[in-house]
Amino acid sequence: MSTHYPAATGDQRTSRHTLCVLVDNEPGVLARISGMFSGRGYNIESLTVSETEHEKHLSRITICTAGTEAVIEQIKLQLERLVPVHGVTDLTVNGDAIERELALVKVVGQGDDRVEALRLAGAFGARTLDATRTSFIFELTGASEDVDRFIRLMTEVGLSEVSRTGVAAIGRGAKPMDAR
Amino acid sequence: MSETMTGAEMVIRALQDQGVDTLFGYPGGAVLPIYDAMFHQDKVKHVLVRHEQGAVHAAEGYARSTGKPGVVLVTSGPGATNAVTGLTDALMDSIPLVCITGQVPTHLIGSDAFQEADTVGITRHCTKHNYLVKRIEDLPRVMHEAFYVAQNGRPGPVVIDVPKDIQFAMGDYARPKENQHKSYRPQTKGDISKIRAAVELMAKAKKPVFYTGGGVINAGPEASRLLRELARLTGFPVTSTLMGLGAFPASDPQWLGMLGMHGSYEANLAMHGCDVMINLGARFDDRITGRIDAFSPNSRKIHVDIDASSINKNVKVDIGIVGDCREVLADMIAVWKEMKPELNAVALNDWKRQIDVWRARKSFSFENSKEVIKPQYAIERLYELTKGRDVYVTTEVGQHQMWAAQHFHFEEPNRWMTSGGLGTMGYGLPAAVGVQLAHPDALVIDIAGEASILMNMQEMSTAAQYRLPIKIFILNNEYMGMVRQWQELLHGGRYSESYSAALPDFVKLAEAYHAKGIRCSDPAKLDDAIREMIDYPGPVIFDCLVSKEENCFPMIPSGKAHNEMILPDFKGDTKTVIDAKGRELV
Ligand SMILES: Cc1ncc(C[n+]2csc(CCOP(=O)(O)OP(=O)(O)O)c2C)c(N)n1
Ligand SMILES: [Mg+2]
């Protein structure tokens, strides 16, 4: 349909990007960022935040989002124009960044399932943080895809609960991210 | 040197230190300490509005007509929520404002206290930035930072929410040495290599057009002067958005008139047919582009904007230059002069001739009448009879606004204040109040519709109190005319709820507000009536009874391209010119 608004023309392929956003650690900054995403109809797949440079009151926010090339470009520019934002780095375009996620996975079951769960956890290098006669809690750190795969396998052997941190990411090599 | 004082005193002192002379406000429990602090000083003049929305629009009028930031003071809860429409309006039109809101004491925040509203939450989406001041130590910095943020980069409204206990708290105040934000540094200087590339593209153009916007006005009067210089150097035709009117003189032969949905035929066809488009401080808004996939299909596009996110947002451009229009224009002129390009005179001449053919179509023409005042005629006469005076025009929103843009002409920037991005009915009267306060001796006219004017009519009381001789010129067609027009074009002439029933007697209403009321319905008496309005030394409401079912043409119907305009001499069935697809659009 032709509309009055920017037409959905051209390349419509979407891709997933991981953005690092350096912000002033001030009240409301997270709401400002998530509000920008919801207000403009962009999606957030995961978002993690914590203060990284205490003396400078800076926080680092890692956002995984997906969109067409034009949308990703807009997201970066819209983030950069927010007053407390110091800089935005697109780790996806900058090459293979390191991305990690931590998941806590509770599995409940007995008998063979239980044995299998423990075996799988060992294969993935997950740590066992808690165990009862009917349950385990595993901790797994890895790329999101590994975490996804682990959780999928655990579904078959009594998965009961998952808590994930979302992605923390950092570019390779000596060069830090640029920020104003 | 710092001084010890209360938070409320700091607020007033910071305004004084910022050189604020006028403050638009309305008191309430949560700002009483600030009202107390202003009681014993006379540097900052407080103007008491009658509704907080009026305060914000008045501050917008003040800001747009002076180039200085507008300042607002309102109470917590309803005071703040009433300000929201004005803040959104200022955000959409990039108007620098600082709005101070009272808040319940910090220990009550979150308790649903009396007149508590989550002001920073509510206004996060309609401000450029906002602050909740929870520590007295932060107040001096935040006050000054707010002025910096409001004015630098793309201008916009900034809210400072000040809880009442902070207003009472004692602290040290010192004016910061540098008036800045610790990290926010918008880029103002354009990338010179891109400017060179842009000038090279311009030099080779066969069918160029300057498409200018509010960014040129926001960049200050010098930017308008530079635009004129560059236009003269290049000889290229110039069009402008609604927001940019006045940056380029309407009397200039290179002027094409406004573009967009109700813009001129020559402006829109020049945009459609050009080979090089130079966008200066405009944002490819949907009222301008029409159907985006048919927008100016064969042009290379240059876009200068202080806001990087405006570039490539709606329309993909070939050269995007982030920077302030004044700085980029100055660089463009320097590069042009140094390059001394040889222009394609033959092609440019053909282009000029083509534009003259379009111009000859006289797309703003209308059929005049001896029996009834045509709204376009009323604006024409208003323009002619006020020509040469120190005139500022504000508008409400609707057909009258578009007719004003078409038939009132501006030679200078900062003379035209209208709600463009948000299209806020009720903007014009309070904006006129703000303009008149900034320019006490000027002739300030609000070109209004009978429906819009009722939205902030209470501000007539403000005009009366401060003896502001504003002129409210109502094109009274007894309809929400723009709505009626859309219903005629899009909804089979079913005029659902768009008749302005039970209108007040505007002459009596004027008198009730201690103003003069004038009514005119006879084209032959119009000139005298307008002169009477101009000559009257106080506020006037002019009830100009105009033809009721006039349509505002030309018009690019929703979903159509620039070369599919409906012109004023359209003789077909207006009820079928827009198809079902177009009806779904706004
Ligand atoms: C606050 C607000 N509400 C609704 C609208 C939608 N709207 C746009 S124009 C218009 C009619 C305006 O009527 P009037 O002021 O009489 O002006 P006219 O079009 O008749 O010149 C309306 C209702 C708006 N722009 N703003
Ligand atoms: Mg009307």
Side-chain angles (χ1 to χ4, degrees):
Chain A
M1 193 192 76
S2 73
T3 79
H4 226 82
Y5 298 99
T9 51
D11 191 355
Q12 285 309 294
R13 274 170 307 175
T14 63
S15 58
R16 190 175 158 284
H17 284 241
T18 303
L19 308 178
C20 271
V21 191
L22 215 55
V23 300
D24 284 323
N25 183 15
E26 61 183 32
V29 66
L30 194 56
R32 216 175 283 286
I33 289 186
S34 60
M36 190 282 286
F37 274 80
S38 62
R40 294 186 182 267
Y42 307 138
N43 62 55
I44 298 180
E45 287 181 1
S46 97
L47 185 150
T48 57
V49 56
S50 68
E51 192 173 60
T52 50
E53 293 180 61
H54 184 67
E55 323 79 67
K56 291 200 215 151
H57 295 290
L58 286 182
S59 286
R60 184 175 174 125
I61 301 180
T62 308
I63 303 173
C64 295
T65 182
T68 61
E69 209 181 300
V71 164
I72 297 291
E73 202 49 39
Q74 262 299 301
I75 290 174
K76 288 190 262 183
L77 292 168
Q78 292 292 349
L79 284 169
E80 271 167 0
R81 73 201 278 264
L82 298 175
V83 173
V85 169
H86 289 238
V88 180
T89 301
D90 186 337
L91 291 175
T92 306
V93 299
N94 288 3
D96 59 335
I98 295 178
E99 300 190 9
R100 285 294 177 270
E101 200 181 342
L102 186 146
L104 299 175
V105 179
K106 184 179 286 186
V107 180
V108 178
Q110 278 165 335
D112 287 350
D113 280 355
R114 202 169 145 73
V115 179
E116 183 62 11
L118 201 59
R119 211 180 56 75
L120 284 168
F124 273 81
R127 292 209 300 150
T128 308
L129 300 184
D130 181 63
T132 68
R133 299 200 46 171
T134 55
S135 69
F136 288 119
I137 295 173
F138 300 119
E139 174 200 314
L140 179 68
T141 306
S144 296
E145 302 80 68
D146 295 334
V147 175
D148 289 345
R149 202 155 356 105
F150 183 66
I151 291 168
R152 226 176 302 123
L153 287 169
M154 285 297 158
T155 326
E156 293 163 28
V157 291
L159 179 80
S160 130
E161 216 179 311
V162 180
S163 173
R164 297 172 72 154
T165 57
V167 173
I170 202 158
R172 284 182 196 271
K175 197 175 160 286
M177 74 175 279
D178 23 86
R180 63 170 186 245
Chain B
M1 252 291 290
S2 72
E3 283 174 60
T4 306
M5 60 180 80
T6 67
E9 287 164 343
M10 284 181 195
V11 169
I12 296 301
R13 173 63 83 79
L15 296 182
Q16 293 171 346
D17 285 350
Q18 282 289 335
V20 173
D21 53 22
T22 311
L23 170 62
F24 300 91
Y26 206 91
V31 282
L32 285 182
I34 300 176
Y35 273 85
D36 201 33
M38 79 170 70
F39 193 66
H40 298 290
Q41 58 87 47
D42 53 10
K43 278 194 189 144
V44 182
K45 174 180 174 170
H46 180 271
V47 176
L48 180 68
V49 296
R50 298 300 187 267
H51 185 295
E52 290 86 352
Q53 184 189 351
V56 186
H57 292 324
E60 286 186 273
Y62 177 95
R64 294 182 59 175
S65 66
T66 61
K68 296 193 277 184
V71 187
V72 176
L73 172 61
V74 298
T75 192
S76 67
T81 56
N82 271 350
V84 164
T85 300
L87 293 169
T88 312
D89 193 90
L91 182 71
M92 291 290 270
D93 284 346
S94 309
I95 313 297
L97 297 185
V98 172
C99 175
I100 298 150
T101 55
Q103 182 55 278
V104 302
T106 42
H107 68 275
L108 288 181
I109 290 178
S111 72
D112 297 324
F114 178 62
Q115 295 197 327
E116 180 184 359
D118 176 7
T119 300
V120 283
I122 291 168
T123 62
R124 194 171 289 132
H125 305 274
C126 61
T127 53
K128 179 175 173 185
H129 196 51
N130 63 13
Y131 301 87
L132 169 61
V133 182
K134 282 181 151 172
R135 300 180 334 145
I136 185 73
E137 302 83 67
D138 293 335
L139 187 57
R141 173 185 59 82
V142 167
M143 284 296 300
H144 290 281
E145 199 174 285
F147 278 86
Y148 172 81
V149 170
Q151 296 174 86
N152 286 274
R154 181 171 176 175
V158 177
V159 161
I160 310 172
D161 201 24
V162 190
K164 195 167 180 180
D165 55 328
I166 302 296
Q167 297 171 34
F168 278 123
M170 295 297 284
D172 290 336
Y173 173 86
R175 187 183 179 171
K177 279 189 201 65
E178 301 170 276
N179 185 29
Q180 283 190 343
H181 183 274
K182 67 177 170 189
S183 59
Y184 181 66
R185 294 282 176 285
Q187 179 175 348
T188 55
K189 194 112 181 104
D191 178 337
I192 194 72
S193 64
K194 287 187 175 171
I195 292 174
R196 271 180 199 291
V199 172
E200 274 162 22
L201 194 59
M202 287 158 65
K204 283 195 240 103
K206 297 189 178 114
K207 297 186 279 181
V209 63
F210 282 113
Y211 152 41
T212 67
V216 180
I217 311 256
N218 275 338
E222 176 65 3
S224 296
R225 196 196 62 71
L226 292 166
L227 169 65
R228 291 155 197 227
E229 187 179 342
L230 185 61
R232 211 157 303 127
L233 274 174
T234 57
F236 298 172
V238 183
T239 180
S240 161
T241 64
L242 181 72
M243 298 306 294
L245 296 178
F248 193 74
S251 60
D252 194 292
Q254 281 165 251
W255 175 240
L256 298 175
M258 175 177 81
L259 82 161
M261 187 176 260
H262 293 289
S264 79
Y265 189 62
E266 56 270 33
N268 284 325
L269 286 199
M271 289 287 282
H272 189 79
C274 67
D275 70 340
V276 174
M277 177 187 296
I278 308 118
N279 173 342
L280 301 168
R283 58 185 177 92
F284 294 110
D285 171 80
D286 55 77
R287 300 293 97 163
I288 296 306
T289 59
R291 207 176 100 201
I292 208 107
D293 57 356
F295 173 69
S296 193
N298 303 312
S299 60
R300 307 282 300 275
K301 298 175 185 74
I302 299 163
H303 186 182
V304 180
D305 205 301
I306 189 123
D307 180 356
S309 75
S310 283
I311 296 172
N312 291 323
K313 179 169 70 180
N314 299 340
V315 167
K316 248 195 134 32
V317 297
D318 301 277
I319 303 177
I321 301 169
V322 179
D324 179 80
C325 281
R326 180 177 59 82
E327 303 221 19
V328 176
L329 274 164
D331 286 343
M332 275 185 169
I333 289 169
V335 172
W336 184 279
K337 283 182 175 165
E338 158 202 315
M339 241 188 238
K340 297 193 189 64
E342 221 170 280
L343 299 182
N344 189 333
V346 176
L348 289 174
N349 233 345
D350 286 349
W351 178 232
K352 202 162 155 269
R353 260 203 305 275
Q354 171 64 70
I355 287 173
D356 286 340
V357 171
W358 290 329
R359 215 194 282 274
R361 203 66 178 72
K362 294 202 181 311
S363 58
F364 290 159
S365 63
F366 58 94
E367 223 171 283
N368 212 352
S369 158
K370 285 206 160 57
E371 281 72 51
V372 54
I373 301 176
K374 287 295 182 105
Q376 303 94 323
Y377 177 70
I379 304 284
E380 248 181 38
R381 295 315 303 156
L382 187 65
Y383 171 64
E384 290 298 336
L385 294 169
T386 57
K387 220 175 181 170
R389 287 175 186 260
D390 185 16
V391 189
Y392 291 82
V393 174
T394 71
T395 77
E396 306 292 334
V397 170
Q399 291 179 317
H400 62 275
Q401 175 189 30
M402 292 300 122
W403 283 318
Q406 293 174 345
H407 298 279
F408 209 100
H409 308 293
F410 299 90
E411 298 295 305
E412 297 297 331
N414 306 99
R415 298 276 168 168
W416 162 250
M417 341 291 131
T418 193
S419 170
L422 196 63
T424 312
M425 291 170 70
Y427 168 86
L429 167 45
V433 165
V435 174
Q436 188 81 74
L437 277 153
H439 309 276
D441 301 323
L443 176 60
V444 181
I445 307 171
D446 172 25
I447 297 179
E450 83 295 335
S452 295
I453 196 64
L454 291 177
M455 286 218 177
N456 273 321
M457 186 46 110
Q458 76 286 346
E459 298 308 324
M460 279 305 289
S461 191
T462 311
Q465 178 179 344
Y466 296 93
R467 303 185 188 287
L468 305 174
I470 56 173
K471 317 297 180 203
I472 312 299
F473 191 79
I474 303 175
L475 293 182
N476 184 349
N477 52 9
E478 289 181 25
Y479 275 106
M480 298 171 196
M482 193 56 98
V483 173
R484 193 206 56 73
Q485 174 168 347
W486 280 55
Q487 289 174 331
E488 177 182 332
L489 266 56
L490 300 153
H491 295 279
R494 292 177 294 280
Y495 299 132
S496 179
E497 304 292 327
S498 54
Y499 183 68
S500 290
L503 281 173
D505 179 330
F506 284 109
V507 172
K508 283 193 188 144
L509 191 58
E511 285 158 7
Y513 279 118
H514 319 286
K516 182 178 181 64
I518 299 174
R519 178 171 295 122
C520 185
S521 57
D522 180 355
K525 296 187 181 136
L526 182 62
D527 278 15
D528 282 343
I530 290 176
R531 279 195 203 96
E532 186 187 352
M533 172 183 88
I534 298 169
D535 292 341
Y536 186 72
V540 176
I541 296 180
F542 190 119
D543 189 15
C544 187
L545 303 179
V546 298
S547 52
K548 297 190 206 306
E549 300 194 352
E550 193 75 16
N551 282 328
C552 183
F553 288 140
M555 178 179 184
I556 303 175
S558 311
K560 300 272 170 144
H562 277 175
N563 55 352
E564 299 175 278
M565 292 186 91
I566 310 176
L567 287 154
D569 51 6
F570 177 74
K571 289 285 180 278
D573 183 0
T574 50
K575 298 194 175 68
T576 56
V577 283
I578 297 176
D579 55 17
K581 269 188 195 165
R583 209 179 312 145
E584 293 173 22
L585 309 170
V586 289

mmCIF file of all heavy atoms in Angstrom, chain B residues 412-430:
data_model
loop_
_atom_site.group_PDB
_atom_site.id
_atom_site.type_symbol
_atom_site.label_atom_id
_atom_site.label_comp_id
_atom_site.label_asym_id
_atom_site.label_seq_id
_atom_site.Cartn_x
_atom_site.Cartn_y
_atom_site.Cartn_z
ATOM 1 N N GLU B 412 11.054 39.023 6.336
ATOM 2 C CA GLU B 412 12.064 38.826 7.379
ATOM 3 C C GLU B 412 11.751 37.579 8.207
ATOM 4 O O GLU B 412 10.588 37.214 8.347
ATOM 5 C CB GLU B 412 12.090 40.032 8.318
ATOM 6 C CG GLU B 412 12.489 41.344 7.662
ATOM 7 C CD GLU B 412 13.908 41.322 7.108
ATOM 8 O OE1 GLU B 412 14.745 40.580 7.655
ATOM 9 O OE2 GLU B 412 14.155 42.029 6.113
ATOM 10 N N PRO B 413 12.806 36.977 8.793
ATOM 11 C CA PRO B 413 12.560 35.829 9.685
ATOM 12 C C PRO B 413 11.975 36.285 11.028
ATOM 13 O O PRO B 413 11.973 37.478 11.328
ATOM 14 C CB PRO B 413 13.957 35.238 9.880
ATOM 15 C CG PRO B 413 14.899 36.372 9.651
ATOM 16 C CD PRO B 413 14.241 37.259 8.631
ATOM 17 N N ASN B 414 11.498 35.332 11.804
ATOM 18 C CA ASN B 414 10.980 35.566 13.159
ATOM 19 C C ASN B 414 9.697 36.386 13.193
ATOM 20 O O ASN B 414 9.334 36.922 14.243
ATOM 21 C CB ASN B 414 12.030 36.232 14.058
ATOM 22 C CG ASN B 414 13.334 35.469 14.099
ATOM 23 O OD1 ASN B 414 14.289 35.804 13.410
ATOM 24 N ND2 ASN B 414 13.370 34.403 14.874
ATOM 25 N N ARG B 415 9.017 36.492 12.048
ATOM 26 C CA ARG B 415 7.802 37.302 11.986
ATOM 27 C C ARG B 415 6.560 36.429 11.913
ATOM 28 O O ARG B 415 5.444 36.925 11.882
ATOM 29 C CB ARG B 415 7.841 38.183 10.729
ATOM 30 C CG ARG B 415 8.985 39.162 10.726
ATOM 31 C CD ARG B 415 8.596 40.370 11.479
ATOM 32 N NE ARG B 415 9.699 41.245 11.780
ATOM 33 C CZ ARG B 415 9.512 42.482 12.237
ATOM 34 N NH1 ARG B 415 8.307 42.938 12.429
ATOM 35 N NH2 ARG B 415 10.541 43.232 12.524
ATOM 36 N N TRP B 416 6.762 35.150 11.794
ATOM 37 C CA TRP B 416 5.664 34.225 11.503
ATOM 38 C C TRP B 416 5.724 33.084 12.496
ATOM 39 O O TRP B 416 6.702 32.334 12.528
ATOM 40 C CB TRP B 416 5.835 33.731 10.057
ATOM 41 C CG TRP B 416 5.125 32.502 9.635
ATOM 42 C CD1 TRP B 416 5.692 31.292 9.353
ATOM 43 C CD2 TRP B 416 3.719 32.342 9.365
ATOM 44 N NE1 TRP B 416 4.735 30.401 8.936
ATOM 45 C CE2 TRP B 416 3.511 31.021 8.933
ATOM 46 C CE3 TRP B 416 2.613 33.196 9.456
ATOM 47 C CZ2 TRP B 416 2.251 30.522 8.595
ATOM 48 C CZ3 TRP B 416 1.360 32.696 9.106
ATOM 49 C CH2 TRP B 416 1.198 31.389 8.684
ATOM 50 N N MET B 417 4.711 32.973 13.355
ATOM 51 C CA MET B 417 4.709 31.903 14.355
ATOM 52 C C MET B 417 3.463 31.064 14.152
ATOM 53 O O MET B 417 2.341 31.565 14.273
ATOM 54 C CB MET B 417 4.677 32.368 15.804
ATOM 55 C CG MET B 417 5.065 33.760 16.174
ATOM 56 S SD MET B 417 6.748 34.202 16.010
ATOM 57 C CE MET B 417 6.480 35.723 15.133
ATOM 58 N N THR B 418 3.678 29.802 13.856
ATOM 59 C CA THR B 418 2.538 28.923 13.642
ATOM 60 C C THR B 418 2.909 27.544 14.156
ATOM 61 O O THR B 418 4.086 27.206 14.233
ATOM 62 C CB THR B 418 2.173 28.910 12.140
ATOM 63 O OG1 THR B 418 0.904 28.308 11.970
ATOM 64 C CG2 THR B 418 3.211 28.167 11.308
ATOM 65 N N SER B 419 1.918 26.786 14.530
ATOM 66 C CA SER B 419 2.183 25.451 15.046
ATOM 67 C C SER B 419 2.235 24.485 13.866
ATOM 68 O O SER B 419 1.214 24.131 13.301
ATOM 69 C CB SER B 419 1.079 25.057 16.028
ATOM 70 O OG SER B 419 1.194 23.697 16.349
ATOM 71 N N GLY B 420 3.451 24.107 13.478
ATOM 72 C CA GLY B 420 3.621 23.300 12.279
ATOM 73 C C GLY B 420 3.590 21.810 12.554
ATOM 74 O O GLY B 420 2.742 21.082 12.059
ATOM 75 N N GLY B 421 4.524 21.335 13.359
ATOM 76 C CA GLY B 421 4.682 19.896 13.562
ATOM 77 C C GLY B 421 3.508 19.266 14.279
ATOM 78 O O GLY B 421 3.034 18.199 13.908
ATOM 79 N N LEU B 422 3.031 19.924 15.323
ATOM 80 C CA LEU B 422 1.950 19.329 16.112
ATOM 81 C C LEU B 422 0.591 19.779 15.602
ATOM 82 O O LEU B 422 -0.391 19.060 15.763
ATOM 83 C CB LEU B 422 2.124 19.692 17.591
ATOM 84 C CG LEU B 422 1.318 18.850 18.583
ATOM 85 C CD1 LEU B 422 1.747 17.388 18.531
ATOM 86 C CD2 LEU B 422 1.459 19.388 20.001
ATOM 87 N N GLY B 423 0.526 20.953 14.993
ATOM 88 C CA GLY B 423 -0.765 21.461 14.506
ATOM 89 C C GLY B 423 -1.734 21.690 15.649
ATOM 90 O O GLY B 423 -2.826 21.132 15.681
ATOM 91 N N THR B 424 -1.324 22.535 16.588
ATOM 92 C CA THR B 424 -2.087 22.716 17.822
ATOM 93 C C THR B 424 -3.095 23.850 17.705
ATOM 94 O O THR B 424 -2.715 25.032 17.699
ATOM 95 C CB THR B 424 -1.132 23.031 18.989
ATOM 96 O OG1 THR B 424 -0.054 22.094 18.971
ATOM 97 C CG2 THR B 424 -1.861 22.967 20.316
ATOM 98 N N MET B 425 -4.384 23.532 17.598
ATOM 99 C CA MET B 425 -5.409 24.570 17.692
ATOM 100 C C MET B 425 -5.260 25.228 19.068
ATOM 101 O O MET B 425 -5.026 24.542 20.058
ATOM 102 C CB MET B 425 -6.812 23.965 17.589
ATOM 103 C CG MET B 425 -7.169 23.402 16.231
ATOM 104 S SD MET B 425 -8.705 22.457 16.285
ATOM 105 C CE MET B 425 -9.928 23.750 16.528
ATOM 106 N N GLY B 426 -5.389 26.535 19.123
ATOM 107 C CA GLY B 426 -5.241 27.227 20.393
ATOM 108 C C GLY B 426 -3.852 27.787 20.589
ATOM 109 O O GLY B 426 -3.556 28.385 21.627
ATOM 110 N N TYR B 427 -2.996 27.618 19.611
ATOM 111 C CA TYR B 427 -1.618 28.111 19.716
ATOM 112 C C TYR B 427 -1.546 29.632 19.556
ATOM 113 O O TYR B 427 -0.812 30.321 20.263
ATOM 114 C CB TYR B 427 -0.761 27.438 18.636
ATOM 115 C CG TYR B 427 0.615 28.051 18.444
ATOM 116 C CD1 TYR B 427 1.687 27.645 19.230
ATOM 117 C CD2 TYR B 427 0.831 29.039 17.482
ATOM 118 C CE1 TYR B 427 2.937 28.209 19.064
ATOM 119 C CE2 TYR B 427 2.086 29.607 17.310
ATOM 120 C CZ TYR B 427 3.131 29.192 18.098
ATOM 121 O OH TYR B 427 4.362 29.759 17.931
ATOM 122 N N GLY B 428 -2.312 30.152 18.610
ATOM 123 C CA GLY B 428 -2.092 31.510 18.118
ATOM 124 C C GLY B 428 -2.323 32.637 19.110
ATOM 125 O O GLY B 428 -1.534 33.582 19.147
ATOM 126 N N LEU B 429 -3.385 32.554 19.890
ATOM 127 C CA LEU B 429 -3.675 33.653 20.822
ATOM 128 C C LEU B 429 -2.613 33.758 21.915
ATOM 129 O O LEU B 429 -2.014 34.827 22.092
ATOM 130 C CB LEU B 429 -5.100 33.506 21.375
ATOM 131 C CG LEU B 429 -5.538 34.338 22.580
ATOM 132 C CD1 LEU B 429 -5.140 35.803 22.488
ATOM 133 C CD2 LEU B 429 -7.048 34.248 22.770
ATOM 134 N N PRO B 430 -2.323 32.694 22.648
ATOM 135 C CA PRO B 430 -1.247 32.830 23.632
ATOM 136 C C PRO B 430 0.103 33.162 22.991
ATOM 137 O O PRO B 430 0.880 33.932 23.569
ATOM 138 C CB PRO B 430 -1.211 31.478 24.342
ATOM 139 C CG PRO B 430 -2.062 30.553 23.549
ATOM 140 C CD PRO B 430 -3.010 31.386 22.752
#
